[in-house]
Amino acid sequence: MAARTGLSVRDTATRRLTDAGLVVDEATGLRVDEARLRELARTRTADPVAPAPSPAATVLRTFLRDGVLVRLPAQRGRRRHLLEHIAARSFEPGVRYPERAVDELLRAWCDGGGSDHVTLRRHLVDESLLAREGGVYWRTGP
């Protein structure tokens, strides 16, 4: 993988461990998520033929902890999976939300995490998952 991506072996291994949710990148450095490691060890031994998780499921497992956004993914595709998940669970199609209500809904995703609700709102609008006009927002798409 390192040769194909042009990354160092260390960076490749770190990314794989982070994507699997086993390593968490914090401000102080990398940290092993022991709870996730134990969980994975239990599920792997319980069902060795379990299907591999979908890319979207991997993204959600990596960037959400107990319903809180750990951080936003740098890669657009991963970020899109995460934003679609948040939009679908926070906003009803056809309902108009004042900015204050949008902020309140998004704060719950960011409470104690590594991102803020304003950045999250901006990404949702930039990805056309939320539309806005005159301080009113609504979910677009399905």
Side-chain angles (χ1 to χ4, degrees):
M1 283 182 61
R4 293 186 82 193
T5 62
L7 297 171
S8 71
V9 172
R10 180 176 183 250
D11 289 341
T12 303
T14 301
R15 172 159 292 179
R16 298 233 2 171
L17 291 169
T18 302
D19 288 349
L22 296 172
V23 172
V24 179
D25 189 3
E26 296 178 334
T28 57
L30 298 175
R31 174 184 63 79
V32 174
D33 186 338
E34 294 176 24
R36 175 74 183 129
L37 183 60
R38 280 192 290 278
E39 173 191 333
L40 189 59
R42 276 194 308 273
T43 58
R44 291 287 185 209
T45 56
D47 187 4
V49 193
S54 70
T58 300
V59 168
L60 297 178
R61 188 178 60 242
T62 302
F63 294 99
L64 291 176
R65 290 285 182 261
D66 299 322
V68 175
L69 182 61
V70 175
R71 69 185 184 331
L72 283 168
Q75 288 184 344
R76 184 178 181 270
R78 291 178 182 185
R79 190 171 52 242
R80 176 76 186 197
H81 283 304
L82 185 65
L83 294 171
E84 287 173 352
H85 174 82
I86 291 171
R89 280 152 186 79
S90 300
F91 304 100
E92 293 294 323
V95 176
R96 304 270 176 166
Y97 298 88
E99 187 168 306
R100 183 173 293 192
V102 171
D103 287 347
E104 187 176 314
L105 289 166
L106 296 180
R107 272 191 192 102
W109 289 97
C110 300
D111 190 28
S115 192
D116 64 278
H117 69 282
V118 175
T119 301
L120 187 55
R121 185 182 69 214
R122 188 187 78 237
H123 281 296
L124 288 165
V125 171
D126 289 349
E127 289 291 333
S128 299
L129 296 168
L130 283 183
R132 75 172 165 215
E133 184 178 312
V136 176
Y137 294 75
W138 61 94
R139 183 173 141 195
T140 59

